[in-house]
Amino acid sequence: MTTFKRLSARDTRFINTKNTYAEPLNLFYEYAEMLTKKAGKVKVRSNKAKDYRDYLVRFIIFYEDFFHDTIAIDNLLTSNSLQKFEKVYHLDGFKAFNQQSHNFYSATISCFKSFLTARTDLAESISDEILNIELSELSSIQEDSITTSKSPKAKPNRTLPTVKGQAFPRDINEAIQAKKNSKWLCELNPTHKTFVSQTDGKPFVEAHHLIPMAVQDNFEFSLDFADNIVSLCPNCHRLVHHADKQTRKSAIITLYETRKHLYPKYEIEVNQRLILSYYGILDN
């Protein structure tokens, strides 16, 4: 079994590593601090954000030691680095070491995933808006002719231009199928009434990728499939994005529980804790 040793924040190597990656680490720290404040736990700067930053430094050092490789400063805040940290986390004995460290390593990974999602979310949110506009403009939907995926499909390239950078393209047929599956009802609360769309004569609902397209880089296969797309009334769609933490958490769990059994057939590994982290909701 691999032996792990806690590295003190006063250790020379820790200090040197922290200084080397100071700029990206500070960006991560500011994000972690913002999450802590949004959680309503503190009104001033807390030690939790500092702890997340310091444990990320330790991940960098562990990766260098056990895999004899380095992480470029410009690449620290990328999904590639996340994959490297997860390689450390899955080393034999590390999970026990994490428990001895009060689960701060796993909490840091969750926070880092949330951070990466937030960095790419704006461009992806614009793409989601474009998708829903395109859906609202369809005057006739030939349901029987829709072709969608029922098995893992290739991960798309980020090629869709937006004013905030490139995003992953969406297949409108997958969104149409998702609405068809929901019978054009809000999946968070089917009793919610919406207006009838003038273009297709159906109740107006919007498409939302439950596992956000912003985290597509974290997965080997595409997240753009009907079973990952929920139909929501406009109010509930905004709720998922903008409500208080507990309301959003409850809504996301409700939606996840209805479809968690579907993800394995698309070779998507996800759990409740992970999906909440993508929405900036971390275990406290």
Side-chain angles (χ1 to χ4, degrees):
M1 180 180 292
T2 308
T3 302
F4 302 95
K5 182 174 66 175
R6 187 181 187 280
L7 193 64
S8 169
R10 293 187 292 273
D11 184 272
T12 300
R13 187 177 178 197
F14 181 97
I15 294 171
N16 289 339
T17 302
K18 183 177 175 181
N19 289 338
T20 298
Y21 294 91
E23 184 174 346
L25 285 172
N26 284 338
L27 289 175
F28 177 60
Y29 167 80
E30 292 297 336
Y31 177 78
E33 184 69 19
M34 179 272 293
L35 278 190
T36 304
K37 289 181 178 179
K38 284 179 68 174
K41 299 298 182 182
V42 293
K43 299 187 181 300
V44 296
R45 289 189 177 270
S46 70
N47 286 329
K48 179 172 277 190
K50 174 181 175 295
D51 287 337
Y52 285 150
R53 180 187 60 194
D54 288 353
Y55 276 85
L56 199 65
V57 173
R58 295 184 178 101
F59 264 119
I60 295 170
I61 293 172
F62 282 139
Y63 179 75
E64 291 176 348
D65 286 351
F66 290 106
F67 294 95
H68 308 291
D69 191 16
T70 58
I71 298 174
I73 297 173
D74 292 343
N75 289 333
L76 179 62
L77 304 181
T78 67
S79 60
N80 183 260
S81 291
L82 172 61
Q83 293 169 6
K84 293 177 178 180
F85 298 149
E86 289 185 323
K87 286 176 67 176
V88 173
Y89 187 78
H90 289 101
L91 286 171
D92 188 30
F94 195 86
K95 291 183 180 179
F97 176 67
N98 174 53
Q99 292 177 343
Q100 295 167 10
S101 303
H102 307 288
N103 295 312
F104 257 105
Y105 287 100
S106 56
T108 298
I109 286 284
S110 292
C111 187
F112 192 65
K113 288 177 179 176
S114 177
F115 171 75
L116 293 180
T117 304
R119 279 173 66 87
T120 59
D121 192 49
L122 187 53
E124 297 299 340
S125 294
I126 292 171
S127 295
D128 284 339
E129 288 296 327
I130 293 172
L131 172 65
N132 280 302
I133 290 172
E134 291 175 346
L135 285 168
S136 70
E137 293 176 345
L138 291 176
S139 58
S140 62
I141 300 174
Q142 301 298 324
E143 295 178 3
D144 294 337
S145 65
I146 292 173
T147 301
T148 59
S149 176
K150 297 297 182 183
S151 60
K153 64 179 183 179
K155 176 175 165 179
N157 293 319
R158 187 182 274 115
T159 57
L160 185 66
T162 77
V163 294
K164 292 296 182 180
Q166 289 189 317
F168 290 104
R170 275 75 163 155
D171 183 347
I172 197 169
N173 286 329
E174 297 287 354
I176 293 170
Q177 184 62 49
K179 289 188 175 188
K180 181 182 175 183
N181 292 345
S182 73
K183 297 180 173 58
W184 285 269
L185 297 175
C186 176
E187 293 188 61
L188 194 55
N189 189 332
T191 67
H192 285 178
K193 300 295 183 183
T194 69
F195 57 88
V196 174
S197 172
Q198 67 175 350
T199 55
D200 62 11
K202 302 285 198 312
F204 185 86
V205 288
E206 296 178 331
H208 172 77
H209 288 77
L210 189 57
I211 304 178
M213 291 298 290
V215 300
Q216 177 64 81
D217 280 333
N218 298 349
F219 294 87
E220 181 180 357
F221 295 100
S222 176
L223 296 173
D224 189 32
F225 51 88
D227 286 332
N228 184 44
I229 300 174
V230 295
S231 297
L232 298 171
C233 70
N235 187 65
C236 285
H237 195 181
R238 274 61 183 173
L239 177 154
V240 167
H241 287 290
H242 304 299
D244 63 88
K245 175 184 174 181
Q246 288 305 317
T247 302
R248 288 191 301 121
K249 181 177 182 178
S250 176
I252 293 162
I253 290 174
T254 296
L255 294 171
Y256 171 68
E257 288 297 318
T258 64
R259 63 192 62 231
K260 64 182 181 182
H261 63 287
L262 299 172
Y263 287 112
K265 71 178 180 180
Y266 300 96
E267 297 194 25
I268 301 297
E269 293 185 16
V270 69
N271 55 46
Q272 179 179 298
R273 184 170 180 270
L274 181 59
I275 202 168
L276 287 172
S277 75
Y278 294 148
Y279 290 83
I281 301 171
L282 308 181
D283 290 342
N284 295 319

